[in-house]
Amino acid sequence: MKALIAHNVDLKTSFCAIRFISSLLSLQTPSKTSANFYTTFDPYEFLNESAKSRNYTLQETKIIHTHLLKTNFLYSNLEFSNLLLRNYCKACDFQYALKVFDEIPQPDISSWNLVITCQNQSSKYADSWETFCRLHSSGLVLNEFTYGHALSACVALNFVNGGKLLYSLALKHGFSLDGYVRSGMIDLFLKSCSFDNALRVFNDESCGNVVCWNAIISGAIKHNEDRVGLNLFRQMCRGLPSPNRFTFPSVFGSCAKLQEFELGRVVHGLAVKYGEQEDVVVGTAIVDFYAKCGHVTEAIKKFSRMPTRNVVSWTAIITGFVKKGDFQSALRLFKEMMTLNQEINTYTVTSVLSACADPLLCKEAFQIHCWVYKTGLYSDPTVKNSLINLYSKIGAIKLSERVFEDMNNLMNSSTYATMITAFCQDGALEKAFSLLKKLFLEGLTPDISCIPSLLSAINVLELGEQTHCYMLKTGVLSNHLVSCSLFTMYSKCGCLNESYEIFNQIPDKDNVSWASMISGFTEHGYAYRAIVLIREMLSVKNIVFDETTLTAFLAACSSLRFLKTGKEIHGFFIRQQDDKSVYGGSSMVNMYSRCGDLKSAKKVFNLMPFKDQTSCSSLVSGYAQNGYVKEALDLFRELISSGLEVDSFTISSVLGAVGDLNRSDVGIGVKIGIQLHARIVKLGFESTASVGSSLVMMYSKYGDLDDCLKGFNQINEPDVISWTTMINSYAQHGKGLEALRVFELMNKSGTNPDSVTFVGVLTACSHSGLVKEGYSYLKSMVKDYGIEPGQRHYACMVDVLGRSGRLQEAERFIRNMPIEPGSLVWGTLLAACKVHADVEIGKIAAEKFIELEPSADGGYVALSNICADVGQWEQVVKIRNEMKGTGIKKQPGWSYI
């Protein structure tokens, strides 16, 4: 017991013992009703069971107290004192109750229990603990109520050590299995975030107390041990006690969290069986479960049958419609709430405001804003945060700033985080960081919710590193979302090693972390490392494989064209399914299309119950890129006629396919191309860089350079691909000077060229015989833009020299190349030798070409033709005999004409 008292250093040491008989006797003259009560009061009748169970008013209790004092009955029988003490507790006059206790000469255990209860009810938990310590020191025998009340005080004080000592005493004296004591100890451990200890207490002995079962099930779910909680509920249903109205809400919440729809339906059946579904709390939990699982029809069916509804019920069904995307129904229910004068709280308002986060519902958003202002809910910070978020999502960032400025003295970390997130989503990174500095200056700590938004908007490594340092300092890296955003930021900045290092430091990686890292490798050209990471993830236990991970897996397979691996992943995810629906259909279609397996892509597409824009676009692009022009056009027509939106990627793919029609039927290709151009103008895509570039390329294939230029001029902000496409169009049609003028315009616009651009520029020089300019642009690649020339660039320069007849200079240029010349370079020189009938250099070029491409017939044929042109027939025969000896056959020529 000394150990108990030692924990009581800061607690009060004694009660005030003040006589108050005079204060009671000097009460004002009682009312007529009280007087009647006074004159008819019989002290012994007061001890009857009916009198004990009655709830007396405070005035009646004081009259009884006065009468007992006047007639000397108060201290003649301890039961009178205890009953009076209990009545003061019931009347919530804790001060008088404590004074009565101080006047009792020899209080029994019931008296002590009552005073501990009284102190708990008045939230004087420290005094309650001190009273227990005094009681234990008095030598009285404690009972289960004593331990239960004292444990309640420990729970309120979060005094775990005191609770453990209490439980040890209860265990010693045989009260540990009492439901009141046991549930109190479970609550104490749960409040101190020690679920394992709470479960150990629960499992000490079999328990038939429903309060203990409810406490441990609810605690498991609150501590994210949902599976444990559901298993405990199953055990509860197999024996005693039966679940009650306090059990079901927690279980429904866990089923919704885990998306265990079928299990939730079983629990719903049990609630009906035990007659608890009519309870408003249980009914609300059922509505919330169906809504969160996406079955809004079932939710509204249950909601309509509820005999009574509260604000939580209405909010749950409104939130369900918002989650489903049925914003009109959510707003209609909110209007019905107002019509019926139902209570509306901040949770209801925030849910409805999230429904208005659609540009088409701006009018409704403004109306709700006015209503919120009128009802006074506008002063609530949560509501203002929702308004800031709403206006940022509909693109009205200025209105978000206005709401933020209205906060005045209500500013907090959450409000700042909401506004910072809004700025990040709007791309105003400078404003976001300016607001972050202001937050620091006001002595506030940033809310963790804004950190991922900041990281997602950062594209400068130095700024990202500074944010990383702050995160290390504040210790927020333990949050999965923050860690995931951090390594995503590094991968976006091209620092894959740093990104992977942070990824490895995450102790318990969830599916989002794995999917983000796999996607980072894939998007930055390290798809092989992504495949290795996929295999590693598949070996990890307790990882949830969902559509996010499936998309990341299949993107890596698509990038490498690993059809076999993609099929294996497809099979793995099919085995994870509980129903017959196509899981991740869009990702599957995209993978099969990019890997060239259009038969499987079409099969998956046909099995999808709902065709979305992504799956249609993937299949159209797959057909187009694999030469199935007719199929691509047919599916494109279906896409348009079905009313689905068409994106720029799909249109670009179709334009590329139509451009290839010119090889077989130029007339049909031109007609379809013009029709597509008209559709593009109607959709408003002609000004986008990707579609504009595809239009330029299509018209270039038809040889219509005027329309190429028109298509290019329609692009609002040409990117490097747009400029390069226009340069190549001029270069390939012998308009070298025009191509170089476009290149100069590109430089003036501030767009930096890439290696493909310089291929077009050097091609333009070769077609126009601009040798000096060719050398100049080749040097400019390294000097001005830091681009190292590759085989194609050197081949273009050889072509420049070869077309100008400078074959010896071309040979010297090849031998002085900083990289080893490939077959493309020597083949270009060989072709020039054929044009200029240079046998000697042609032989050198042919030997080098054949050495690099021994199985190709091109080198032999070219050298044979050169010798034939100058009449060296013996050499021709010799070359053909060499081809026969090596088994190489000349491929027959063919033509579209």
Side-chain angles (χ1 to χ4, degrees), residues 533-738:
L533 207 59
I534 289 171
R535 294 195 179 101
E536 184 181 339
M537 180 182 177
L538 292 173
S539 65
V540 177
K541 295 180 180 179
N542 300 324
I543 287 290
V544 178
F545 295 95
D546 57 9
E547 195 148 359
T548 304
T549 50
L550 174 63
T551 302
F553 287 6
L554 295 177
C557 296
S558 301
S559 179
L560 295 170
R561 305 296 191 270
F562 278 6
L563 179 60
K564 182 182 177 182
T565 306
K567 286 184 175 180
E568 291 171 352
I569 291 172
H570 187 179
F572 173 81
F573 274 87
I574 286 177
R575 290 197 301 273
Q576 306 297 309
Q577 294 176 212
D578 297 326
D579 51 32
K580 297 180 180 180
S581 62
V582 178
Y583 186 80
S586 299
S587 303
M588 297 290 184
V589 171
N590 182 59
M591 184 275 294
Y592 282 121
S593 297
R594 294 192 64 184
C595 291
D597 189 354
L598 296 173
K599 184 177 179 181
S600 297
K602 181 66 174 177
K603 185 177 180 180
V604 174
F605 181 80
N606 289 335
L607 289 172
M608 291 176 65
F610 302 103
K611 276 71 173 175
D612 56 11
Q613 176 191 348
T614 305
S615 57
C616 291
S617 298
S618 298
L619 191 56
V620 169
S621 302
Y623 280 134
Q625 292 169 4
N626 287 276
Y628 296 94
V629 182
K630 183 179 181 299
E631 289 81 355
L633 290 172
D634 289 343
L635 190 57
F636 183 71
R637 291 190 191 98
E638 289 181 24
L639 181 62
I640 294 173
S641 61
S642 63
L644 287 173
E645 293 183 6
V646 181
D647 60 9
S648 57
F649 179 73
T650 309
I651 293 175
S652 298
S653 300
V654 174
L655 287 171
V658 172
D660 292 335
L661 282 173
N662 67 334
R663 297 178 181 175
S664 56
D665 195 328
V666 177
I668 295 176
V670 172
K671 289 180 181 178
I672 296 176
I674 292 171
Q675 291 174 2
L676 277 173
H677 194 167
R679 170 65 65 173
I680 289 167
V681 172
K682 184 177 180 180
L683 294 172
F685 280 121
E686 75 280 0
S687 60
T688 61
S690 59
V691 175
S693 301
S694 299
L695 275 172
V696 171
M697 189 177 295
M698 181 191 72
Y699 283 123
S700 176
K701 290 178 179 179
Y702 297 149
D704 191 344
L705 294 180
D706 291 336
D707 283 336
C708 278
L709 185 59
K710 290 178 183 177
F712 178 79
N713 289 333
Q714 289 176 342
I715 303 173
N716 285 339
E717 296 180 3
D719 58 8
V720 63
I721 298 175
S722 308
W723 288 102
T724 302
T725 305
M726 196 65 224
I727 291 170
N728 285 333
S729 298
Y730 276 128
Q732 290 169 2
H733 289 84
K735 304 287 185 179
L737 294 176
E738 287 83 351

Side-chain angles (χ1 to χ4, degrees), residues 787-798:
I787 302 173
E788 291 296 330
Q791 294 287 342
R792 292 186 66 190
H793 302 101
Y794 287 118
C796 286
M797 195 61 221
V798 170

Side-chain angles (χ1 to χ4, degrees), residues 2 214 334 415-416 546 655 684 711 799:
K2 291 180 180 179
N214 288 344
F334 181 68
T415 305
Y416 272 102
D546 57 9
L655 287 171
D799 191 48

Side-chain angles (χ1 to χ4, degrees), residues 354-378:
S354 64
C356 296
D358 186 326
L360 298 177
L361 298 175
C362 288
K363 181 180 178 182
E364 288 81 357
F366 294 145
Q367 290 174 346
I368 293 174
H369 189 168
C370 295
W371 178 86
V372 166
Y373 192 86
K374 181 180 178 181
T375 56
L377 289 171
Y378 187 69

